[in-house]
Amino acid sequence: QLQASGGGLVQAGGSLSLSCAASGRTGRSYTMAWFRQAPGKGRQFVGGISWSGPWNGSRTYVPDSVKGRFTVSRDSAKNTVFLQMNSLKPEDTAVYFCALDLDGRRIGASEYGYDFWGQGTLVTVSS
């Protein structure tokens, strides 16, 4: 089960941090990612982090569309992933979802590669 939180209303140029806590077994190798969905649009990948065990560590990937503004990180002890969003723009307004892929060998940008989804948290950026 995934529980996302941290959404809210922020002015353009501001920052927000979203968190997603995973409960239950995630396995030794998994990927957690963030997607967003604006009204009338499909889900867009905005970042992910994979974990492949202590020997391989973790990898992150943020697409060019938000690179330099969005950062993904994790707290392994709490099975929680964070999405730090800076320099927010009105076009970042969307419902943000976290997702879990039980295969930590990849960070997929397609929503169809993920096994579990959180409930979504609304981010509204005012101009």
Side-chain angles (χ1 to χ4, degrees):
Q1 184 177 3
L2 302 177
Q3 183 72 38
S5 61
L9 174 64
V10 64
Q11 287 189 328
S15 299
L16 272 180
S17 180
L18 307 182
S19 62
C20 178
S23 59
R25 294 177 63 87
T26 55
R28 298 176 60 185
S29 175
Y30 62 91
T31 293
M32 291 182 72
W34 290 96
F35 288 77
R36 67 185 181 187
Q37 187 167 19
K41 296 187 177 181
R43 289 191 182 182
Q44 178 190 20
F45 172 79
V46 294
I49 185 166
S50 66
W51 171 252
S52 301
W55 299 109
N56 297 317
S58 64
R59 294 185 300 120
T60 60
Y61 173 65
V62 177
D64 290 343
S65 58
V66 296
K67 188 172 290 183
R69 299 192 300 123
F70 289 14
T71 303
V72 182
S73 61
R74 65 189 284 265
D75 181 335
S76 58
K78 298 181 179 179
N79 259 5
T80 299
V81 172
F82 305 96
L83 179 67
Q84 178 65 41
M85 304 183 292
N86 299 324
S87 302
L88 284 163
K89 306 174 182 179
E91 50 264 43
D92 294 319
T93 295
V95 177
Y96 284 70
F97 298 88
C98 58
L100 172 67
D101 179 356
L102 296 176
D103 186 345
R105 294 173 297 175
R106 64 193 177 206
I107 303 176
S110 170
E111 62 181 296
Y112 300 108
Y114 290 85
D115 303 295
F116 300 96
W117 290 83
Q119 83 285 8
T121 184
L122 176 63
V123 173
T124 304
V125 184
S126 63
S127 57

mmCIF file with all atom_site columns, all heavy atoms in Angstrom, residues 39-55:
data_model
loop_
_atom_site.group_PDB
_atom_site.id
_atom_site.type_symbol
_atom_site.label_atom_id
_atom_site.label_alt_id
_atom_site.label_comp_id
_atom_site.label_asym_id
_atom_site.label_entity_id
_atom_site.label_seq_id
_atom_site.pdbx_PDB_ins_code
_atom_site.Cartn_x
_atom_site.Cartn_y
_atom_site.Cartn_z
_atom_site.occupancy
_atom_site.B_iso_or_equiv
_atom_site.pdbx_formal_charge
_atom_site.auth_seq_id
_atom_site.auth_comp_id
_atom_site.auth_asym_id
_atom_site.auth_atom_id
_atom_site.pdbx_PDB_model_num
ATOM 1   N N   . PRO A 1 39 ? -5.705 18.065 -15.330 1.00 0.00 ? 39 PRO A N   1
ATOM 2   C CA  . PRO A 1 39 ? -7.060 17.865 -15.843 1.00 0.00 ? 39 PRO A CA  1
ATOM 3   C C   . PRO A 1 39 ? -7.080 17.683 -17.352 1.00 0.00 ? 39 PRO A C   1
ATOM 4   O O   . PRO A 1 39 ? -6.476 18.475 -18.086 1.00 0.00 ? 39 PRO A O   1
ATOM 5   C CB  . PRO A 1 39 ? -7.777 19.146 -15.427 1.00 0.00 ? 39 PRO A CB  1
ATOM 6   C CG  . PRO A 1 39 ? -7.040 19.616 -14.228 1.00 0.00 ? 39 PRO A CG  1
ATOM 7   C CD  . PRO A 1 39 ? -5.605 19.247 -14.468 1.00 0.00 ? 39 PRO A CD  1
ATOM 8   N N   . GLY A 1 40 ? -7.706 16.612 -17.786 1.00 0.00 ? 40 GLY A N   1
ATOM 9   C CA  . GLY A 1 40 ? -7.844 16.363 -19.208 1.00 0.00 ? 40 GLY A CA  1
ATOM 10  C C   . GLY A 1 40 ? -6.621 15.790 -19.883 1.00 0.00 ? 40 GLY A C   1
ATOM 11  O O   . GLY A 1 40 ? -6.600 15.638 -21.110 1.00 0.00 ? 40 GLY A O   1
ATOM 12  N N   . LYS A 1 41 ? -5.610 15.442 -19.098 1.00 0.00 ? 41 LYS A N   1
ATOM 13  C CA  . LYS A 1 41 ? -4.371 14.913 -19.674 1.00 0.00 ? 41 LYS A CA  1
ATOM 14  C C   . LYS A 1 41 ? -4.038 13.552 -19.083 1.00 0.00 ? 41 LYS A C   1
ATOM 15  O O   . LYS A 1 41 ? -4.592 13.148 -18.070 1.00 0.00 ? 41 LYS A O   1
ATOM 16  C CB  . LYS A 1 41 ? -3.225 15.891 -19.434 1.00 0.00 ? 41 LYS A CB  1
ATOM 17  C CG  . LYS A 1 41 ? -3.401 17.236 -20.116 1.00 0.00 ? 41 LYS A CG  1
ATOM 18  C CD  . LYS A 1 41 ? -2.158 18.086 -19.991 1.00 0.00 ? 41 LYS A CD  1
ATOM 19  C CE  . LYS A 1 41 ? -2.305 19.406 -20.739 1.00 0.00 ? 41 LYS A CE  1
ATOM 20  N NZ  . LYS A 1 41 ? -1.082 20.235 -20.641 1.00 0.00 ? 41 LYS A NZ  1
ATOM 21  N N   . GLY A 1 42 ? -3.138 12.852 -19.729 1.00 0.00 ? 42 GLY A N   1
ATOM 22  C CA  . GLY A 1 42 ? -2.689 11.567 -19.237 1.00 0.00 ? 42 GLY A CA  1
ATOM 23  C C   . GLY A 1 42 ? -1.663 11.705 -18.137 1.00 0.00 ? 42 GLY A C   1
ATOM 24  O O   . GLY A 1 42 ? -1.233 12.810 -17.797 1.00 0.00 ? 42 GLY A O   1
ATOM 25  N N   . ARG A 1 43 ? -1.269 10.583 -17.583 1.00 0.00 ? 43 ARG A N   1
ATOM 26  C CA  . ARG A 1 43 ? -0.279 10.607 -16.517 1.00 0.00 ? 43 ARG A CA  1
ATOM 27  C C   . ARG A 1 43 ? 1.118  10.816 -17.087 1.00 0.00 ? 43 ARG A C   1
ATOM 28  O O   . ARG A 1 43 ? 1.510  10.168 -18.049 1.00 0.00 ? 43 ARG A O   1
ATOM 29  C CB  . ARG A 1 43 ? -0.337 9.311  -15.709 1.00 0.00 ? 43 ARG A CB  1
ATOM 30  C CG  . ARG A 1 43 ? -1.585 9.227  -14.869 1.00 0.00 ? 43 ARG A CG  1
ATOM 31  C CD  . ARG A 1 43 ? -1.572 8.120  -13.869 1.00 0.00 ? 43 ARG A CD  1
ATOM 32  N NE  . ARG A 1 43 ? -2.831 8.099  -13.134 1.00 0.00 ? 43 ARG A NE  1
ATOM 33  C CZ  . ARG A 1 43 ? -3.114 7.268  -12.149 1.00 0.00 ? 43 ARG A CZ  1
ATOM 34  N NH1 . ARG A 1 43 ? -2.212 6.363  -11.781 1.00 0.00 ? 43 ARG A NH1 1
ATOM 35  N NH2 . ARG A 1 43 ? -4.268 7.330  -11.535 1.00 0.00 ? 43 ARG A NH2 1
ATOM 36  N N   . GLN A 1 44 ? 1.850  11.717 -16.460 1.00 0.00 ? 44 GLN A N   1
ATOM 37  C CA  . GLN A 1 44 ? 3.186  12.079 -16.900 1.00 0.00 ? 44 GLN A CA  1
ATOM 38  C C   . GLN A 1 44 ? 4.191  11.701 -15.832 1.00 0.00 ? 44 GLN A C   1
ATOM 39  O O   . GLN A 1 44 ? 4.036  12.054 -14.665 1.00 0.00 ? 44 GLN A O   1
ATOM 40  C CB  . GLN A 1 44 ? 3.270  13.589 -17.176 1.00 0.00 ? 44 GLN A CB  1
ATOM 41  C CG  . GLN A 1 44 ? 4.643  14.072 -17.598 1.00 0.00 ? 44 GLN A CG  1
ATOM 42  C CD  . GLN A 1 44 ? 4.747  15.582 -17.615 1.00 0.00 ? 44 GLN A CD  1
ATOM 43  O OE1 . GLN A 1 44 ? 3.960  16.287 -16.980 1.00 0.00 ? 44 GLN A OE1 1
ATOM 44  N NE2 . GLN A 1 44 ? 5.716  16.101 -18.359 1.00 0.00 ? 44 GLN A NE2 1
ATOM 45  N N   . PHE A 1 45 ? 5.230  11.005 -16.234 1.00 0.00 ? 45 PHE A N   1
ATOM 46  C CA  . PHE A 1 45 ? 6.305  10.616 -15.327 1.00 0.00 ? 45 PHE A CA  1
ATOM 47  C C   . PHE A 1 45 ? 7.139  11.843 -14.977 1.00 0.00 ? 45 PHE A C   1
ATOM 48  O O   . PHE A 1 45 ? 7.540  12.600 -15.865 1.00 0.00 ? 45 PHE A O   1
ATOM 49  C CB  . PHE A 1 45 ? 7.172  9.569  -16.018 1.00 0.00 ? 45 PHE A CB  1
ATOM 50  C CG  . PHE A 1 45 ? 8.429  9.208  -15.286 1.00 0.00 ? 45 PHE A CG  1
ATOM 51  C CD1 . PHE A 1 45 ? 8.393  8.335  -14.213 1.00 0.00 ? 45 PHE A CD1 1
ATOM 52  C CD2 . PHE A 1 45 ? 9.653  9.718  -15.687 1.00 0.00 ? 45 PHE A CD2 1
ATOM 53  C CE1 . PHE A 1 45 ? 9.555  7.983  -13.543 1.00 0.00 ? 45 PHE A CE1 1
ATOM 54  C CE2 . PHE A 1 45 ? 10.818 9.382  -15.026 1.00 0.00 ? 45 PHE A CE2 1
ATOM 55  C CZ  . PHE A 1 45 ? 10.775 8.521  -13.954 1.00 0.00 ? 45 PHE A CZ  1
ATOM 56  N N   . VAL A 1 46 ? 7.418  12.041 -13.654 1.00 0.00 ? 46 VAL A N   1
ATOM 57  C CA  . VAL A 1 46 ? 8.213  13.196 -13.239 1.00 0.00 ? 46 VAL A CA  1
ATOM 58  C C   . VAL A 1 46 ? 9.436  12.807 -12.415 1.00 0.00 ? 46 VAL A C   1
ATOM 59  O O   . VAL A 1 46 ? 10.198 13.685 -11.993 1.00 0.00 ? 46 VAL A O   1
ATOM 60  C CB  . VAL A 1 46 ? 7.366  14.239 -12.471 1.00 0.00 ? 46 VAL A CB  1
ATOM 61  C CG1 . VAL A 1 46 ? 6.330  14.858 -13.394 1.00 0.00 ? 46 VAL A CG1 1
ATOM 62  C CG2 . VAL A 1 46 ? 6.725  13.645 -11.230 1.00 0.00 ? 46 VAL A CG2 1
ATOM 63  N N   . GLY A 1 47 ? 9.627  11.527 -12.174 1.00 0.00 ? 47 GLY A N   1
ATOM 64  C CA  . GLY A 1 47 ? 10.854 11.128 -11.485 1.00 0.00 ? 47 GLY A CA  1
ATOM 65  C C   . GLY A 1 47 ? 10.696 9.787  -10.798 1.00 0.00 ? 47 GLY A C   1
ATOM 66  O O   . GLY A 1 47 ? 9.589  9.381  -10.466 1.00 0.00 ? 47 GLY A O   1
ATOM 67  N N   . GLY A 1 48 ? 11.819 9.113  -10.597 1.00 0.00 ? 48 GLY A N   1
ATOM 68  C CA  . GLY A 1 48 ? 11.783 7.831  -9.941  1.00 0.00 ? 48 GLY A CA  1
ATOM 69  C C   . GLY A 1 48 ? 13.112 7.478  -9.322  1.00 0.00 ? 48 GLY A C   1
ATOM 70  O O   . GLY A 1 48 ? 14.152 8.082  -9.638  1.00 0.00 ? 48 GLY A O   1
ATOM 71  N N   . ILE A 1 49 ? 13.069 6.509  -8.434  1.00 0.00 ? 49 ILE A N   1
ATOM 72  C CA  . ILE A 1 49 ? 14.277 6.038  -7.761  1.00 0.00 ? 49 ILE A CA  1
ATOM 73  C C   . ILE A 1 49 ? 14.187 4.530  -7.623  1.00 0.00 ? 49 ILE A C   1
ATOM 74  O O   . ILE A 1 49 ? 13.142 4.002  -7.257  1.00 0.00 ? 49 ILE A O   1
ATOM 75  C CB  . ILE A 1 49 ? 14.461 6.736  -6.395  1.00 0.00 ? 49 ILE A CB  1
ATOM 76  C CG1 . ILE A 1 49 ? 15.792 6.340  -5.754  1.00 0.00 ? 49 ILE A CG1 1
ATOM 77  C CG2 . ILE A 1 49 ? 13.292 6.484  -5.461  1.00 0.00 ? 49 ILE A CG2 1
ATOM 78  C CD1 . ILE A 1 49 ? 16.186 7.254  -4.591  1.00 0.00 ? 49 ILE A CD1 1
ATOM 79  N N   . SER A 1 50 ? 15.266 3.870  -7.957  1.00 0.00 ? 50 SER A N   1
ATOM 80  C CA  . SER A 1 50 ? 15.281 2.420  -7.861  1.00 0.00 ? 50 SER A CA  1
ATOM 81  C C   . SER A 1 50 ? 16.260 1.978  -6.784  1.00 0.00 ? 50 SER A C   1
ATOM 82  O O   . SER A 1 50 ? 17.240 2.664  -6.488  1.00 0.00 ? 50 SER A O   1
ATOM 83  C CB  . SER A 1 50 ? 15.684 1.796  -9.202  1.00 0.00 ? 50 SER A CB  1
ATOM 84  O OG  . SER A 1 50 ? 17.039 2.123  -9.505  1.00 0.00 ? 50 SER A OG  1
ATOM 85  N N   . TRP A 1 51 ? 15.955 0.827  -6.239  1.00 0.00 ? 51 TRP A N   1
ATOM 86  C CA  . TRP A 1 51 ? 16.817 0.239  -5.206  1.00 0.00 ? 51 TRP A CA  1
ATOM 87  C C   . TRP A 1 51 ? 17.044 -1.210 -5.576  1.00 0.00 ? 51 TRP A C   1
ATOM 88  O O   . TRP A 1 51 ? 16.102 -1.957 -5.779  1.00 0.00 ? 51 TRP A O   1
ATOM 89  C CB  . TRP A 1 51 ? 16.147 0.357  -3.842  1.00 0.00 ? 51 TRP A CB  1
ATOM 90  C CG  . TRP A 1 51 ? 16.831 -0.397 -2.755  1.00 0.00 ? 51 TRP A CG  1
ATOM 91  C CD1 . TRP A 1 51 ? 16.419 -1.534 -2.133  1.00 0.00 ? 51 TRP A CD1 1
ATOM 92  C CD2 . TRP A 1 51 ? 18.084 -0.068 -2.152  1.00 0.00 ? 51 TRP A CD2 1
ATOM 93  N NE1 . TRP A 1 51 ? 17.312 -1.932 -1.188  1.00 0.00 ? 51 TRP A NE1 1
ATOM 94  C CE2 . TRP A 1 51 ? 18.355 -1.057 -1.178  1.00 0.00 ? 51 TRP A CE2 1
ATOM 95  C CE3 . TRP A 1 51 ? 19.008 0.970  -2.340  1.00 0.00 ? 51 TRP A CE3 1
ATOM 96  C CZ2 . TRP A 1 51 ? 19.505 -1.024 -0.394  1.00 0.00 ? 51 TRP A CZ2 1
ATOM 97  C CZ3 . TRP A 1 51 ? 20.138 0.990  -1.548  1.00 0.00 ? 51 TRP A CZ3 1
ATOM 98  C CH2 . TRP A 1 51 ? 20.383 0.007  -0.603  1.00 0.00 ? 51 TRP A CH2 1
ATOM 99  N N   . SER A 1 52 ? 18.334 -1.594 -5.658  1.00 0.00 ? 52 SER A N   1
ATOM 100 C CA  . SER A 1 52 ? 18.650 -2.958 -6.055  1.00 0.00 ? 52 SER A CA  1
ATOM 101 C C   . SER A 1 52 ? 19.510 -3.657 -5.024  1.00 0.00 ? 52 SER A C   1
ATOM 102 O O   . SER A 1 52 ? 20.335 -4.498 -5.363  1.00 0.00 ? 52 SER A O   1
ATOM 103 C CB  . SER A 1 52 ? 19.362 -2.951 -7.419  1.00 0.00 ? 52 SER A CB  1
ATOM 104 O OG  . SER A 1 52 ? 18.565 -2.367 -8.405  1.00 0.00 ? 52 SER A OG  1
ATOM 105 N N   . GLY A 1 53 ? 19.336 -3.311 -3.758  1.00 0.00 ? 53 GLY A N   1
ATOM 106 C CA  . GLY A 1 53 ? 20.085 -3.964 -2.710  1.00 0.00 ? 53 GLY A CA  1
ATOM 107 C C   . GLY A 1 53 ? 21.306 -3.161 -2.303  1.00 0.00 ? 53 GLY A C   1
ATOM 108 O O   . GLY A 1 53 ? 21.714 -2.217 -2.983  1.00 0.00 ? 53 GLY A O   1
ATOM 109 N N   . PRO A 1 54 ? 21.914 -3.514 -1.179  1.00 0.00 ? 54 PRO A N   1
ATOM 110 C CA  . PRO A 1 54 ? 23.024 -2.723 -0.647  1.00 0.00 ? 54 PRO A CA  1
ATOM 111 C C   . PRO A 1 54 ? 24.259 -2.718 -1.530  1.00 0.00 ? 54 PRO A C   1
ATOM 112 O O   . PRO A 1 54 ? 25.054 -1.775 -1.490  1.00 0.00 ? 54 PRO A O   1
ATOM 113 C CB  . PRO A 1 54 ? 23.310 -3.379 0.704   1.00 0.00 ? 54 PRO A CB  1
ATOM 114 C CG  . PRO A 1 54 ? 22.765 -4.763 0.584   1.00 0.00 ? 54 PRO A CG  1
ATOM 115 C CD  . PRO A 1 54 ? 21.565 -4.642 -0.324  1.00 0.00 ? 54 PRO A CD  1
ATOM 116 N N   . TRP A 1 55 ? 24.448 -3.724 -2.350  1.00 0.00 ? 55 TRP A N   1
ATOM 117 C CA  . TRP A 1 55 ? 25.646 -3.759 -3.199  1.00 0.00 ? 55 TRP A CA  1
ATOM 118 C C   . TRP A 1 55 ? 25.511 -2.861 -4.413  1.00 0.00 ? 55 TRP A C   1
ATOM 119 O O   . TRP A 1 55 ? 26.509 -2.292 -4.880  1.00 0.00 ? 55 TRP A O   1
ATOM 120 C CB  . TRP A 1 55 ? 25.936 -5.198 -3.637  1.00 0.00 ? 55 TRP A CB  1
ATOM 121 C CG  . TRP A 1 55 ? 26.199 -6.102 -2.493  1.00 0.00 ? 55 TRP A CG  1
ATOM 122 C CD1 . TRP A 1 55 ? 25.402 -7.087 -2.028  1.00 0.00 ? 55 TRP A CD1 1
ATOM 123 C CD2 . TRP A 1 55 ? 27.355 -6.095 -1.649  1.00 0.00 ? 55 TRP A CD2 1
ATOM 124 N NE1 . TRP A 1 55 ? 25.977 -7.702 -0.944  1.00 0.00 ? 55 TRP A NE1 1
ATOM 125 C CE2 . TRP A 1 55 ? 27.170 -7.125 -0.696  1.00 0.00 ? 55 TRP A CE2 1
ATOM 126 C CE3 . TRP A 1 55 ? 28.513 -5.321 -1.606  1.00 0.00 ? 55 TRP A CE3 1
ATOM 127 C CZ2 . TRP A 1 55 ? 28.104 -7.405 0.288   1.00 0.00 ? 55 TRP A CZ2 1
ATOM 128 C CZ3 . TRP A 1 55 ? 29.461 -5.601 -0.617  1.00 0.00 ? 55 TRP A CZ3 1
ATOM 129 C CH2 . TRP A 1 55 ? 29.244 -6.628 0.302   1.00 0.00 ? 55 TRP A CH2 1
#
